Amino acid sequence: MIPRTPLPHIREYISVLNETLQEKGHKPLSRIQQGFLCFILMGMLLTQSLCWARLERASGGRYQDGALCKMFYHGLKCWDYLLAVSALIVMKRFNITSGVLVLDDSDRGRSKNTTKIWGVEKTVLKGTGGFHYAQNIVFLILVTPEITIPVGATFYRPDPVLREWSKNDKKLIKQGIKKKNRPPKPQRQSDYPSRVELACSLIKQFKEDYPELRIKAILADSAYFNPSFMGGIDKTDQNVQILTQMRENQKVKFGRDKEQQVKDFFNKREWNSTILQLRGHGETLVHYSSAVVTIISHGRKYRVVGLRYEDEKEPRFLVGSDLSWRPEDMIQYYSLRWLVEV
């Protein structure tokens, strides 16, 4: 049963949260809102979940699950900035002044029969090739030498019009119909922004919430490596290093050489070996090669690093927007991306 009196550290957190909200120009939490947040945090601590039915049972009949849900959605009007202020409290506590941002997205499986959970879509189940119903969450974490904390999240929903067009387009391709005779690709609806647009908006919001925090690099996987993402980040911060991966079959051009796939390009180059101190892995032997090349699909130059760890046969290819970075630094920073998986 959840005690009526919250634990001291929860009371302290709510008090500091309320003070920081006022410092940032937001309305303070009312006595009822503070009490509700204390109850929710106590319930999550004891039940290890955020489930209204469990909290109802743990409250000993003091609250009904419907009332808790209503209070959660309608009683707190500060969700847009509650996470930002909470993260700011943690940063002040650990005296954090700089860090690395990591972007990723994840499918959270839900029931096939749900009708009330927003944004649930039929999605490919990774690893099995089957399907399940899930919410796709695009999220942003801040990695620092001391801690790793979430600083932003939003939901991605595929555009139903684009999805239907893609499905029909694939059928027409199999039938051998030429592109000029197939329906043109429709414009994406504004209510269904792409993952790249959502990622750029999260980073822009982060810069507005923490203007004094120095970001050394932004990390993302190969799914985000496209001109829209790189250009969108440049509009927000031109001085930040953007580190991501590229596919092995993407075309590059080095100097006056002919266009070729990046894998073929690095197969002809000399590789170096060194031992780097990678976070979470200790001393690691890495084999690498580096070059500044023009990536054809982007029409601009990047520093590309071919990377292969000791136990790997096939290389991966890292891309950095800042050409001045050393390849060793790019490898060390990009190794922080694994933290988003845990």
Side-chain angles (χ1 to χ4, degrees), residues 275-293:
I275 295 178
L276 297 177
Q277 188 76 25
L278 302 183
R279 181 166 169 175
H281 298 279
E283 293 186 348
T284 305
L285 176 63
V286 296
H287 309 284
Y288 70 93
S289 180
S290 171
V292 175
V293 298

Side-chain angles (χ1 to χ4, degrees), residues 30-45:
S30 67
R31 180 180 58 82
I32 294 177
Q33 289 174 326
Q34 293 183 52
F36 176 72
L37 279 176
C38 285
F39 172 79
I40 293 295
L41 293 175
M42 286 287 291
M44 292 175 65
L45 183 64

Side-chain angles (χ1 to χ4, degrees), residues 128-183:
T128 66
F131 291 88
H132 69 151
Y133 287 79
Q135 288 173 300
N136 187 265
I137 303 174
V138 181
F139 58 97
L140 188 67
I141 68 170
L142 175 68
V143 179
T144 73
E146 294 83 9
I147 57 173
T148 299
I149 56 175
V151 290
T154 187
F155 290 100
Y156 164 75
R157 295 183 300 160
D159 188 331
V161 175
L162 276 175
R163 173 181 278 186
E164 187 63 27
W165 171 86
S166 177
K167 183 179 179 180
N168 293 331
D169 194 57
K170 290 178 181 178
K171 290 181 180 179
L172 296 175
I173 291 175
K174 288 184 178 180
Q175 295 172 10
I177 299 176
K178 295 182 179 181
K179 183 176 181 180
K180 63 180 181 179
N181 297 324
R182 302 197 303 267

Side-chain angles (χ1 to χ4, degrees), residues 36 40 56 62 67 92 102 118 139 165-166 174 177 193 205 214 217 227 239 243 245 247 253 276 298 304-305 308:
F36 176 72
I40 293 295
E56 178 184 354
R62 282 186 291 151
K92 288 182 178 179
V102 186
W118 187 85
F139 58 97
W165 171 86
S166 177
K174 288 184 178 180
I177 299 176
Q205 186 62 50
R214 186 169 70 91
N239 299 318
L243 284 175
Q245 283 189 237
R247 300 187 307 275
K253 185 176 181 180
L276 297 177
H298 288 238
V304 179
V305 177
R308 188 175 68 250

Side-chain angles (χ1 to χ4, degrees), residues 222 225 245-252 260-267 304 307 313-319:
S222 58
F225 181 57
Q245 283 189 237
M246 64 184 298
R247 300 187 307 275
E248 63 179 22
N249 61 349
Q250 285 190 265
K251 297 289 186 67
V252 300
Q260 56 186 316
Q261 293 185 2
V262 65
K263 184 178 181 180
D264 297 333
F265 171 75
F266 277 101
N267 281 339
V304 179
L307 167 66
K313 294 182 179 179
E314 297 296 326
R316 64 188 70 188
F317 303 98
L318 309 184
V319 185

Side-chain angles (χ1 to χ4, degrees), residues 29 48 58 61 87-88 110 118 120 127 140 168 172 182 227-228 236 243 256 272 302 322 331 334:
L29 297 172
Q48 296 295 298
L88 184 62
R110 308 301 184 196
W118 187 85
V120 174
L140 188 67
N168 293 331
L172 296 175
R182 302 197 303 267
S228 298
T236 303
L243 284 175
R256 296 185 178 181
N272 303 309
Y302 295 95
D322 189 337
I331 295 170
Y334 195 76

